[in-house]
Amino acid sequence: MNSHDQHVESSDGTRLALRRLGAGDPVVLVHGSGGGLHSWAAVADQLAPDHEVWMPARRGYGPSDVPPGTKSFAVETADLLAVIEAARQRTGRRVHVVGASYGATLALHTASADPRDIRSLAIFEPPLFAAGPEIAPLLDRYRAAFERDDAPAMAAALHEVTRVPAEIVAALAAGAGDRTPDPVEARRAAIGWLHDLEALAGDSTDIARWSSITVPTLLLAGADTWEPMPTMMNALATAIRPARHLVWTGQSHFVTMTAPTLVADALRQFFAEVSAAQPSSGDPTGTATATR
């Protein structure tokens, strides 16, 4: 299916590149750390026959702007609201917002700050445990490694942030074999990670704050994702009372890449249920039945 690349300007003038495809109710897919325009492609292709899918590259990730200064969730929330507004204006419909990993944390911030144009929220494994002052030393380590272009040291710092078990790190390395990443792409991801860590270090691990969210919410997780993610997802399901909580057996934090059909099917079903409960402008709490 044909896609269209365009830009949206945020409130501070930052230009955000995005890819748009399909037609129908608008869906904004928000990528995680190290991602970009390509991150949601396999899922987007499956949603596009009946949805207009918007995939922005977040600030700090080329070809979007990489502004100077320290990044925060406040500025990224303004970015995402600009994309949501553009999708709402183009289609005349409120927007389904989907976030994965760091992108899920950003989606939570955005739905909490201004839910007016958000029709539903789908959240896949936000690293809410990786925030606040304890991240600051890891940010400093990562920044020092970044400045000397030390990829192994950058990766080591990131593994401490994400708490990926050593055996999974080893399995990923073995799977990569002798392939070396494209240097331009690797540098782009490294810059993005640096700015994401800045925002995480300035954030909080308080999960109770998300109890203010009342839009229909779907929480998604893989049963094989490592702790503390499962415990944190259970806490998030308790905090967001309208939330449904779907856990995929045999899947992990990489499910959007390893099983995109599974993800797309779950999202399509959720969107259909929300649409059935909100036939027009809708009741923002129309799917408040929790299934744990």
Short mmCIF file of all heavy atoms in Angstrom, two decimals, residues 54-82:
data_model
loop_
_atom_site.label_atom_id
_atom_site.label_comp_id
_atom_site.label_asym_id
_atom_site.label_seq_id
_atom_site.Cartn_x
_atom_site.Cartn_y
_atom_site.Cartn_z
N TRP A 54 -0.75 6.71 11.08
CA TRP A 54 0.26 7.77 11.15
C TRP A 54 1.42 7.25 11.99
O TRP A 54 1.23 6.80 13.13
CB TRP A 54 -0.32 9.02 11.80
CG TRP A 54 -1.40 9.69 11.02
CD1 TRP A 54 -2.60 9.15 10.62
CD2 TRP A 54 -1.40 11.05 10.56
NE1 TRP A 54 -3.34 10.08 9.93
CE2 TRP A 54 -2.63 11.26 9.89
CE3 TRP A 54 -0.50 12.10 10.66
CZ2 TRP A 54 -2.96 12.48 9.31
CZ3 TRP A 54 -0.83 13.31 10.09
CH2 TRP A 54 -2.05 13.50 9.42
N MET A 55 2.65 7.33 11.44
CA MET A 55 3.85 6.85 12.13
C MET A 55 4.88 7.96 12.19
O MET A 55 5.67 8.15 11.25
CB MET A 55 4.42 5.64 11.40
CG MET A 55 3.53 4.41 11.44
SD MET A 55 4.16 3.06 10.41
CE MET A 55 3.70 3.68 8.79
N PRO A 56 4.89 8.75 13.26
CA PRO A 56 5.90 9.81 13.37
C PRO A 56 7.25 9.27 13.85
O PRO A 56 7.31 8.27 14.57
CB PRO A 56 5.30 10.74 14.44
CG PRO A 56 4.46 9.83 15.29
CD PRO A 56 3.93 8.76 14.37
N ALA A 57 8.31 9.91 13.41
CA ALA A 57 9.63 9.73 14.03
C ALA A 57 9.73 10.77 15.14
O ALA A 57 9.60 11.96 14.88
CB ALA A 57 10.74 9.92 13.01
N ARG A 58 9.92 10.31 16.36
CA ARG A 58 9.95 11.24 17.48
C ARG A 58 11.16 12.18 17.39
O ARG A 58 12.15 11.87 16.73
CB ARG A 58 9.98 10.48 18.80
CG ARG A 58 8.72 9.66 19.05
CD ARG A 58 8.67 9.08 20.45
NE ARG A 58 9.61 7.99 20.64
CZ ARG A 58 10.78 8.09 21.27
NH1 ARG A 58 11.20 9.25 21.75
NH2 ARG A 58 11.56 7.03 21.42
N ARG A 59 11.06 13.34 18.06
CA ARG A 59 12.19 14.28 18.06
C ARG A 59 13.44 13.58 18.58
O ARG A 59 13.39 12.75 19.48
CB ARG A 59 11.89 15.54 18.88
CG ARG A 59 11.88 15.37 20.38
CD ARG A 59 11.91 16.72 21.08
NE ARG A 59 10.78 17.56 20.70
CZ ARG A 59 10.79 18.90 20.76
NH1 ARG A 59 11.86 19.54 21.20
NH2 ARG A 59 9.74 19.60 20.41
N GLY A 60 14.55 13.91 17.98
CA GLY A 60 15.80 13.24 18.33
C GLY A 60 16.12 12.08 17.40
O GLY A 60 17.23 11.57 17.41
N TYR A 61 15.13 11.68 16.60
CA TYR A 61 15.31 10.57 15.66
C TYR A 61 15.13 11.10 14.25
O TYR A 61 14.04 11.50 13.86
CB TYR A 61 14.28 9.46 15.93
CG TYR A 61 14.56 8.68 17.19
CD1 TYR A 61 14.04 9.10 18.42
CD2 TYR A 61 15.35 7.54 17.18
CE1 TYR A 61 14.30 8.40 19.59
CE2 TYR A 61 15.61 6.83 18.34
CZ TYR A 61 15.08 7.26 19.54
OH TYR A 61 15.34 6.56 20.69
N GLY A 62 16.24 11.10 13.46
CA GLY A 62 16.12 11.53 12.08
C GLY A 62 15.16 10.64 11.32
O GLY A 62 15.03 9.46 11.65
N PRO A 63 14.49 11.21 10.30
CA PRO A 63 14.65 12.55 9.73
C PRO A 63 13.90 13.67 10.45
O PRO A 63 13.83 14.78 9.95
CB PRO A 63 14.11 12.36 8.30
CG PRO A 63 13.06 11.32 8.44
CD PRO A 63 13.56 10.38 9.48
N SER A 64 13.32 13.39 11.62
CA SER A 64 12.79 14.49 12.43
C SER A 64 13.94 15.32 12.97
O SER A 64 15.10 14.89 12.97
CB SER A 64 11.95 13.95 13.60
OG SER A 64 10.75 13.37 13.14
N ASP A 65 13.61 16.53 13.43
CA ASP A 65 14.65 17.42 13.97
C ASP A 65 15.26 16.83 15.25
O ASP A 65 14.61 16.07 15.99
CB ASP A 65 14.05 18.79 14.30
CG ASP A 65 13.76 19.62 13.07
OD1 ASP A 65 14.18 19.23 11.96
OD2 ASP A 65 13.11 20.68 13.21
N VAL A 66 16.51 17.20 15.49
CA VAL A 66 17.22 16.84 16.72
C VAL A 66 17.58 18.15 17.42
O VAL A 66 18.68 18.67 17.25
CB VAL A 66 18.48 16.00 16.42
CG1 VAL A 66 19.13 15.54 17.71
CG2 VAL A 66 18.15 14.80 15.54
N PRO A 67 16.63 18.72 18.18
CA PRO A 67 16.89 20.04 18.77
C PRO A 67 17.96 19.98 19.85
O PRO A 67 18.18 18.94 20.48
CB PRO A 67 15.53 20.41 19.39
CG PRO A 67 14.54 19.47 18.79
CD PRO A 67 15.30 18.22 18.50
N PRO A 68 18.65 21.08 20.06
CA PRO A 68 19.63 21.14 21.15
C PRO A 68 18.92 21.17 22.50
O PRO A 68 17.71 21.41 22.59
CB PRO A 68 20.37 22.46 20.89
CG PRO A 68 19.36 23.31 20.18
CD PRO A 68 18.56 22.37 19.32
N GLY A 69 19.69 20.95 23.55
CA GLY A 69 19.13 21.01 24.89
C GLY A 69 18.65 19.66 25.38
O GLY A 69 18.64 18.67 24.64
N THR A 70 18.25 19.62 26.64
CA THR A 70 17.81 18.39 27.28
C THR A 70 16.35 18.11 26.95
O THR A 70 15.51 19.00 27.06
CB THR A 70 17.98 18.49 28.81
OG1 THR A 70 19.35 18.73 29.11
CG2 THR A 70 17.52 17.22 29.50
N LYS A 71 16.07 16.88 26.56
CA LYS A 71 14.70 16.52 26.19
C LYS A 71 13.90 16.15 27.44
O LYS A 71 14.45 15.65 28.42
CB LYS A 71 14.69 15.35 25.21
CG LYS A 71 13.34 15.13 24.55
CD LYS A 71 13.37 14.06 23.48
CE LYS A 71 13.39 12.67 24.08
NZ LYS A 71 13.19 11.63 23.06
N SER A 72 12.58 16.37 27.37
CA SER A 72 11.68 16.02 28.46
C SER A 72 10.41 15.42 27.89
O SER A 72 10.11 15.58 26.70
CB SER A 72 11.33 17.26 29.29
OG SER A 72 10.52 18.14 28.53
N PHE A 73 9.65 14.74 28.73
CA PHE A 73 8.36 14.24 28.28
C PHE A 73 7.39 15.38 27.99
O PHE A 73 6.46 15.20 27.20
CB PHE A 73 7.78 13.27 29.30
CG PHE A 73 8.31 11.87 29.15
CD1 PHE A 73 9.19 11.34 30.08
CD2 PHE A 73 7.94 11.09 28.07
CE1 PHE A 73 9.69 10.06 29.94
CE2 PHE A 73 8.43 9.80 27.92
CZ PHE A 73 9.30 9.28 28.86
N ALA A 74 7.60 16.52 28.61
CA ALA A 74 6.71 17.66 28.35
C ALA A 74 6.80 18.09 26.89
O ALA A 74 5.77 18.32 26.23
CB ALA A 74 7.05 18.82 29.28
N VAL A 75 8.02 18.21 26.35
CA VAL A 75 8.14 18.64 24.96
C VAL A 75 7.69 17.54 24.01
O VAL A 75 7.10 17.80 22.96
CB VAL A 75 9.58 19.11 24.62
CG1 VAL A 75 9.95 20.34 25.42
CG2 VAL A 75 10.61 18.01 24.83
N GLU A 76 7.94 16.28 24.39
CA GLU A 76 7.49 15.19 23.51
C GLU A 76 5.97 15.04 23.55
O GLU A 76 5.36 14.63 22.55
CB GLU A 76 8.17 13.88 23.90
CG GLU A 76 9.55 13.75 23.29
CD GLU A 76 9.86 12.33 22.89
OE1 GLU A 76 10.29 11.56 23.76
OE2 GLU A 76 9.70 11.98 21.70
N THR A 77 5.36 15.35 24.67
CA THR A 77 3.89 15.35 24.72
C THR A 77 3.34 16.39 23.76
O THR A 77 2.37 16.13 23.03
CB THR A 77 3.42 15.61 26.16
OG1 THR A 77 3.78 14.51 26.98
CG2 THR A 77 1.91 15.81 26.22
N ALA A 78 3.96 17.57 23.74
CA ALA A 78 3.52 18.61 22.78
C ALA A 78 3.69 18.12 21.35
O ALA A 78 2.84 18.38 20.49
CB ALA A 78 4.32 19.89 23.01
N ASP A 79 4.78 17.39 21.08
CA ASP A 79 4.99 16.82 19.74
C ASP A 79 3.86 15.87 19.36
O ASP A 79 3.29 15.95 18.26
CB ASP A 79 6.31 16.05 19.69
CG ASP A 79 7.54 16.92 19.83
OD1 ASP A 79 7.41 18.16 19.78
OD2 ASP A 79 8.63 16.35 20.00
N LEU A 80 3.56 14.94 20.26
CA LEU A 80 2.55 13.93 19.95
C LEU A 80 1.17 14.58 19.81
O LEU A 80 0.38 14.19 18.95
CB LEU A 80 2.54 12.84 21.02
CG LEU A 80 1.60 11.65 20.79
CD1 LEU A 80 1.76 11.07 19.40
CD2 LEU A 80 1.83 10.57 21.86
N LEU A 81 0.89 15.59 20.62
CA LEU A 81 -0.38 16.30 20.48
C LEU A 81 -0.47 16.99 19.12
O LEU A 81 -1.56 17.06 18.53
CB LEU A 81 -0.55 17.31 21.61
CG LEU A 81 -0.88 16.71 22.98
CD1 LEU A 81 -0.82 17.79 24.06
CD2 LEU A 81 -2.25 16.04 22.97
N ALA A 82 0.65 17.48 18.60
CA ALA A 82 0.64 18.11 17.27
C ALA A 82 0.31 17.08 16.19
O ALA A 82 -0.43 17.37 15.24
CB ALA A 82 1.99 18.77 16.99
#
